[in-house]
Structure formats: C-alpha cells, structure tokens
Amino acid sequence: MSEGESQTVVSSGSDPKVESSSSAPGLTSVSPPVTSTTSAASPEEEEESEDESEILEESPCGRWQKRREEVNQRNVPGIDSAYLAMDTEEGVEVVWNEVQFSERKNYKLQEEKVRAVFDNLIQLEHLNIVKFHKYWADIKENKARVIFITEYMSSGSLKQFLKKTKKNHKTMNEKAWKRWCTQILSALSYLHSCDPPIIHGNLTCDTIFIQHNGLIKIGSVFHRIFANVAPDTINNHVKTCREEQKNLHFFAPEYGEVTNVTTAVDIYSFGMCALEMAVLEIQGNGESSYVPQEAISSAIQLLEDPLQRVRIFWITP
C-alpha cells in the first residue's frame, strides 16, 4: 500500500483534478473532477461490484448498513478496520469505523470515558471537520468493539492530491494554498476554542481530506483524546504513522515526550502541512522515509514567494 491512502475506497474513488491556470502561467488550481465516459462493465466486474455492495451488518437502529467494501484508513491511529456503509435515511455513503478491544473487561474499565469522548465528538459541528454521526458498543462474550459512523470523503486525502499534482509536473497555485490554509486554521481554531480545548494530535496531509469542490476537511479528530482514554487500544492494535517514522516530521519535538501537551503541537503540524502543500513533497534522505530538519529547511528555501517563506518559517522553526 502506498503512503497517503488515508481514506480511499480500495476499488474505486474520485480525486480532484489539476488544471493549468490561464491567469498565472506555470501555476495550477483546484477544479472539480470531470466525469468520463466508460465502456460497459464486464460480467466479472459486475459480480465483483455486487459482492462489494453486499450488506454485512446493520446498526442497532437499522439506519447504517455496513458493506463488504473496505476503506483504507492508513495513518489514522485508533482505527482497526473501516468499511463503506450506507446511510439509509439520507441516502449517502458514510464510513463504518471499528475499534477493537482485546478483552471485554478492558472496555468495561473505560466504558464511561469512551462514551464521554464520543458524546463530545458527535457535538462537533464545523464545515472543515469530518462529521461524526453516531457510535455504539458491540459486546460479545469476551470481546468488545466500538463502532462509529463518520462522513465519507470520496475524493481522498490531501496527500494523494499533492502526489498527483507533482506527478503531472504541476505547481501549487498560491491562491488555493492560502484558501486551504485558512480552512485548516478555521477548523483548528474551532477545536482549540472548545472547553476543554480539543488537541488534534495527528494532523498531517494524510488526515486532511479534500472534496471535489476544493473544500478541505480535517479527520482523525478523535485520535488524541481517544488515545488518552484507551492508550492500550491505540498502542497494541494499530500501527501508527509515527511508528513508521515517515510522518514524524509533522510532530513538534516535544510531542510524545511530555505529559502536558498543548494546542501548540497542532500549530506546528499545521506549519508542516502548509509547507508540504506549497512544495508538494518534503523528501527524506535516500531510501529512508524519515525527513530530517535539513530537508525541511531546504524545502522552505524552495519557496519563491518571500512572504510565504517567512510565514512558514515562523510556524516551523
């Protein structure tokens, strides 16, 4: 699996396209995907599509129906598995997320805190935050899992968009860059203004999603607070992006080393996201996916706009 596949359906999915800007040669802008005409599906493809659409499970209320089709949730710590699902009331696709507890007693010890966390997350309402719809616990014999329904971002992650832009030898339009930065900061301001403040703690271009109309939404909002409630679930069942080292440069140096982490860690991560959006990719040394400070400094120097360079420099010292 290639990096950046944070929330993409395994078999299908549309991504925003990039087109050259007529007003600024060499720059690009975000545009909605163009619908293409395709030939009729073969019987084998139709059968495969029917298998993926098979309903595996329903929510207790019957509103949400889990399908066989999986959604990649790589780099989203805390998620053991995720499936495409249907909201039968609204007629839209959503994501059916599952968090497994190794033993029923482990969940029971944290049940009250887990419920408090998800009750608060469901209350979050912001245009630039992936929506939480519902959650419930499924307890059977000695095992337990928490299932929660979130908004489905069909166009994929910002990381995917940046990789496609670079592959097509394009550069990022500065107006689009500013617009995206404003949307991300708006979402962070909303989270940090909650009482108590909500620290995202896992903000990378893999956990930022883009819709076909260019709207940005941040996901994985639950990570930091859920990790505080049930750290064993995060550490024992999920390979986090930090363990893989490839996204380590998104995190402030003090993150994970101090107990009393503040909202400042999100601002640092935002700065790294802003830099990666501007240069499309921050490359490591050789075959290593780890990105050293020297590579970050070099990426900042690649920015042609001095003002843009100063803005990012002050966020990511």
Side-chain angles (χ1 to χ4, degrees):
M1 187 184 301
S2 61
E3 68 171 340
E5 295 182 340
S6 295
Q7 193 183 83
T8 310
V9 175
V10 175
S11 61
S12 64
S14 60
D15 294 287
K17 293 184 182 294
V18 181
E19 61 180 14
S20 298
S21 171
S22 59
S23 60
L27 298 181
T28 61
S29 58
V30 180
S31 64
V34 178
T35 303
S36 58
T37 303
T38 57
S39 58
S42 65
E44 291 80 7
E45 291 174 332
E46 291 180 351
E47 183 178 349
E48 182 179 351
S49 178
E50 290 177 359
D51 289 342
E52 292 172 342
S53 299
E54 178 186 353
I55 304 301
L56 301 181
E57 190 177 350
E58 286 190 349
S59 61
C61 64
R63 175 174 176 177
W64 289 281
Q65 297 178 334
K66 171 184 172 182
R67 295 179 181 173
R68 185 180 299 278
E69 193 170 7
E70 291 189 54
V71 176
N72 290 325
Q73 288 281 13
R74 195 176 186 209
N75 299 327
V76 183
I79 301 294
D80 289 287
S81 55
Y83 299 85
L84 202 60
M86 176 61 70
D87 181 342
T88 59
E89 287 188 11
E90 298 293 333
V92 297
E93 293 177 320
V94 292
V95 180
W96 174 297
N97 306 271
E98 297 182 2
V99 177
Q100 304 285 345
F101 285 78
S102 57
E103 295 183 12
R104 178 178 178 178
K105 63 180 181 180
N106 291 341
Y107 171 74
K108 284 297 183 181
L109 290 173
Q110 303 289 344
E111 181 175 8
E112 186 175 339
K113 291 182 179 180
V114 169
R115 290 185 180 278
V117 164
F118 282 104
D119 284 342
N120 288 333
L121 289 175
I122 289 175
Q123 301 302 316
L124 297 180
E125 289 284 352
H126 192 279
L127 182 64
N128 302 116
I129 295 177
V130 174
K131 175 63 180 172
F132 277 73
H133 292 293
K134 184 74 173 179
Y135 80 94
W136 65 92
D138 178 39
I139 303 174
K140 294 179 179 178
E141 298 179 356
N142 294 327
K143 293 185 178 181
R145 60 176 177 158
V146 174
I147 301 165
F148 59 99
I149 305 297
T150 57
E151 182 180 4
Y152 173 51
M153 303 296 291
S154 60
S155 293
S157 70
L158 189 56
K159 171 76 79 174
Q160 290 173 296
F161 177 80
L162 297 177
K163 289 181 69 175
K164 287 188 176 183
T165 302
K166 183 177 181 179
K167 184 178 180 180
N168 293 328
H169 306 288
K170 304 292 184 179
T171 57
M172 181 52 59
N173 184 296
E174 188 171 349
K175 288 184 178 180
W177 178 82
K178 290 179 180 179
R179 184 168 61 250
W180 291 353
C181 287
T182 299
Q183 293 180 57
I184 296 170
L185 285 174
S186 177
L188 290 178
S189 176
Y190 173 81
L191 293 175
H192 295 172
S193 298
C194 293
D195 186 19
I198 295 178
I199 299 173
H200 188 288
N202 190 38
L203 188 68
T204 73
C205 289
D206 284 306
T207 58
I208 299 173
F209 301 95
I210 181 170
Q211 290 185 327
H212 66 280
N213 59 0
L215 182 67
I216 290 291
K217 295 199 177 193
I218 64 175
S220 189
V221 175
F222 66 92
H223 166 64
R224 178 75 190 177
I225 48 182
F226 191 58
N228 290 339
V229 170
D232 291 339
T233 300
I234 298 292
N235 296 330
N236 296 340
H237 296 283
V238 181
K239 289 184 178 179
T240 69
C241 55
R242 299 200 66 217
E243 291 172 337
E244 297 175 6
Q245 298 292 305
K246 68 187 184 67
N247 278 337
L248 193 60
H249 59 287
F250 281 97
F251 300 91
E254 69 273 17
Y255 186 83
E257 297 180 1
V258 295
T259 304
N260 189 25
V261 174
T262 69
T263 54
V265 300
D266 285 342
I267 302 304
Y268 183 96
S269 297
F270 161 74
M272 295 308 306
C273 291
L275 177 59
E276 187 160 75
M277 287 189 294
V279 300
L280 303 182
E281 182 182 19
I282 306 174
Q283 296 183 339
N285 291 332
E287 297 181 358
S288 173
S289 57
Y290 173 71
V291 178
Q293 184 61 44
E294 294 77 13
I296 296 173
S297 300
S298 298
I300 293 177
Q301 295 306 314
L302 289 175
L303 300 174
E304 296 181 359
D305 185 349
L307 183 58
Q308 188 181 37
R309 192 184 307 145
V310 170
R311 286 169 178 160
I312 294 179
F313 177 80
W314 280 107
I315 300 174
T316 57

